[in-house]
Amino acid sequence: MKYLDQIDVSGKKVLVRVDFNVPMDKSGNVTDVTRVKASLATINFIRDKGARVIVTSHLGRPKGKRVEEFSLRPVAPVLAGMLKTDVPFIDDCIGEKAEKAVTAMKAGDLILLENLRFHPGEDKNDEAFAQELAKLCDVYVNDAFAVSHRAAASNTAITKYVPVCAAGFLLKNEIEYFNKAMGNPTRPLVAIIGGAKVSDKIKVLENVIDKVDRLIVGGGMAFTFLKAQGFNVGKSLCETDMLDLARKIMDKAKAQNVQFLLPVDTVIAQEPSADAERNIVAVKDIPDGWMGLDIGPASIAAFSDAVKTAKTIVWNGPLGMFELAPFSSGTFKLVDAVVQSGAMTIVGGGDTDTAVHKTGKSDKISYISTGGGAFLELLEGKTLPAVAALG
Ligand code: AMP
C-alpha cells in the first residue's frame, strides 16, 4: 500500500474519498465539523502540489436514492471557510455534471461532489458505478477510515480502475497507530475493553487475548464474566448464553499468562437513572433487584494500578454507564490513570471517544480513532476491505 506522500500528484486530477458524514440540525447546519477538519491535511497536501482536488463522501443512509436531507451541499461552505477558498458544490458525483465540472477545474481548484450513496451502486461495491467515478480522475486517495470496513464502490472497486491509488494521511495515521499498538507494541501492552455486551465484543476479546499482557474488562459486559465465575449479578446486564464463552476467555488468559482483571466492586442502583438511590458493594454482594452501573473505587484503584506500568494501551468501551453522571467516575478516573501512565495509548469506538472528550483530556491521548466499526474490526484482527484494496 502506498501513502499519499509516496506518490506524485502534481498537476493531476485527484479524487479524494473522505468521511464527511457530519451531524446536521433540522435546518441543515453542520453541528460538528470534526470530520471536515480531519480531512484538511490530505486535501491541503494535494492542493499544494497544484493538483485538482475532487472531494467525495457519503452522508447518512439515503439507500441509493436522492434524499435532500442527506445532501452534502451544506458541507461545501464549511470546507470553503476552513480552506479560505471557493468550494463549488456539484450536485451529482458521476455523469455529465461531474465530468463537466472536473474539466473546468484548474490547478489547485477544489470541488465537492454530491453524496455517493444517492446511487445504489455505492453500497453494492458496484463495478460500473466505480468505473464512472474512476473516469473523473487519474489518482485516487482514500482517507475515509471510518467506512473502510465496508466494501463500497468508492473505497474498494474503484481501486481497480484508477492507475495510481494511495492512502491519505488520516488513514495512514489510523493504520500506523494501530499497528504500533497491536502489531509491534512496546510492552507491557494493556487492553481495556468495556461497553455493554460481551456478544458485541467477543471477537475482540478472542483476538486481543493473544496479544496483550494484561486485559481489563469493565462495563456491562463484566457481569457476564462475574456470573460465569459464580457471582450473583442481580439485575445487571448479563448474557447467560455467553457464560461458556466467557469461561473460555478466562481459561485462555490463565493458560497464556495474561493478567485478567475484572471489577472487584461496583456502583449499584435499582434503575439506570441519575436520581436512583445508589450503593457501592463488592461484586460478591450484589443484591437481587439491583444492577451494577459503574465500577467501584477499589476497582478504579486496581485498574489504575494495572495501567500505571503499561507502555502501550488500547481502549475500547466505557467502564460504566458514563452518560449518567453518578456512573461516570470509573471511566473518567481511568482516563486520568491512562494519561498519567505516559503510555502510547489508542482509544477507539464511538462511546469511548465521547467519554474521553467529556474529560477534556483528549489531547493527552496519543491517538483517538475516527472509526467506530472500523476500529472494532481491526481489534477483531480483521483486514479492512478498503485497506486491502489499496494494497
Ligand atoms: P458499547 O457500544 O458496547 O461500547 O457500549 C457502550 C454502552 O455501554 C454505553 O452506552 C454505556 O452506557 C453502556 N454501559 C457501560 N457499562 C454499563 C453497565 N454497567 N450497565 C449498563 N450499561 C453499561
Side-chain angles (χ1 to χ4, degrees):
M1 181 169 69
K2 290 227 164 68
Y3 292 132
L4 175 55
D5 47 4
Q6 296 170 317
I7 59 167
D8 180 17
V9 294
S10 315
K12 302 268 168 53
K13 291 179 286 178
V14 184
L15 188 123
V16 191
R17 176 37 161 127
V18 295
D19 173 17
F20 282 175
N21 187 27
V22 292
M24 287 188 203
D25 63 18
K26 286 205 176 100
S27 332
N29 301 304
V30 178
T31 53
D32 182 346
V33 298
T34 312
R35 287 185 165 153
V36 183
K37 261 195 197 144
S39 72
L40 294 183
T42 289
I43 291 176
N44 277 326
F45 180 90
I46 302 169
R47 266 187 90 207
D48 290 348
K49 301 273 180 210
R52 285 167 275 178
V53 196
I54 306 151
V55 183
T56 182
S57 175
H58 71 289
L59 175 70
R61 294 194 176 154
K63 302 200 171 134
K65 298 191 304 280
R66 180 174 281 273
V67 181
E68 264 337 292
E69 72 174 289
F70 296 122
S71 173
L72 276 163
R73 188 182 290 277
V75 186
V78 175
L79 183 61
M82 288 181 189
L83 295 172
K84 302 195 171 43
T85 188
D86 277 350
V87 179
F89 176 74
I90 313 304
D91 83 345
D92 203 352
C93 62
I94 55 165
E96 204 180 318
K97 274 184 201 159
E99 285 165 27
K100 260 195 187 154
V102 171
T103 309
M105 290 171 85
K106 292 192 274 314
D109 277 357
L110 230 122
I111 55 173
L112 173 63
L113 303 179
E114 182 55 287
N115 195 343
L116 289 156
R117 289 186 180 166
F118 284 2
H119 290 269
E122 167 63 356
D123 283 343
K124 291 185 184 141
N125 194 21
D126 178 70
E127 303 285 330
F129 179 64
Q131 285 174 57
E132 287 293 308
L133 284 172
K135 259 195 223 168
L136 302 175
C137 64
D138 24 53
V139 174
Y140 166 74
V141 173
N142 185 3
D143 216 17
F145 173 72
V147 285
S148 53
H149 58 310
R150 302 269 175 265
S154 71
N155 69 12
T156 304
I158 190 171
T159 59
K160 289 194 224 162
Y161 304 106
V162 184
V164 180
C165 298
F169 297 130
L170 178 65
L171 189 53
K172 177 182 178 179
N173 261 341
E174 293 277 355
I175 294 167
E176 287 196 340
Y177 271 104
F178 190 82
N179 288 344
K180 211 156 128 195
M182 294 294 285
N184 185 22
T186 312
R187 292 184 180 273
L189 166 62
V190 178
I192 308 170
I193 308 292
K197 291 181 177 171
V198 177
S199 51
D200 289 341
K201 306 270 167 91
I202 191 72
K203 289 194 195 124
V204 171
L205 292 165
E206 282 171 342
N207 183 47
V208 301
I209 200 93
D210 288 334
K211 306 205 160 54
V212 300
D213 302 293
R214 256 167 246 156
L215 175 58
I216 296 173
V217 173
M221 58 193 278
F223 296 98
T224 301
F225 285 90
L226 291 166
K227 176 88 179 171
Q229 289 185 337
F231 293 109
N232 175 30
V233 297
K235 272 205 305 187
S236 308
L237 265 187
C238 181
E239 293 169 281
T240 43
D241 53 339
M242 288 280 137
L243 296 177
D244 282 344
L245 271 169
R247 276 185 212 107
K248 251 192 209 159
I249 300 273
M250 291 188 283
D251 289 345
K252 207 168 175 196
K254 211 178 206 172
Q256 293 181 186
N257 249 333
V258 172
Q259 212 183 330
F260 187 86
L261 287 98
L262 282 171
V264 290
D265 60 351
T266 175
V267 183
I268 55 170
Q270 283 166 299
E271 299 302 329
S273 139
D275 351 291
E277 184 193 339
R278 293 184 299 280
N279 222 329
I280 296 168
V281 294
V283 291
K284 65 176 177 39
D285 296 326
I286 302 173
D288 287 338
W290 291 68
M291 58 181 83
L293 293 168
D294 194 12
I295 57 171
S299 311
I300 294 173
F303 290 1
S304 301
D305 216 42
V307 299
K308 206 187 252 167
T309 52
K311 290 277 181 284
T312 309
I313 300 169
V314 177
W315 186 352
N316 169 267
L319 301 178
M321 203 176 250
F322 76 98
E323 299 92 335
L324 302 178
F327 310 109
S328 62
S329 66
T331 303
F332 292 171
K333 292 232 165 91
L334 251 285
V335 174
D336 288 339
V338 160
V339 167
Q340 274 161 26
S341 75
M344 202 287 281
T345 301
I346 57 172
V347 166
D351 277 321
T352 330
D353 171 356
T354 311
V356 173
H357 276 105
K358 272 195 178 175
T359 64
K361 295 188 177 127
S362 38
D363 58 331
K364 302 216 161 58
I365 301 285
S366 318
Y367 194 71
I368 299 180
S369 175
T370 58
F375 183 77
L376 266 189
E377 290 203 12
L378 282 181
L379 273 183
E380 289 173 358
K382 289 190 184 148
T383 304
L384 309 181
V387 174
L390 290 173

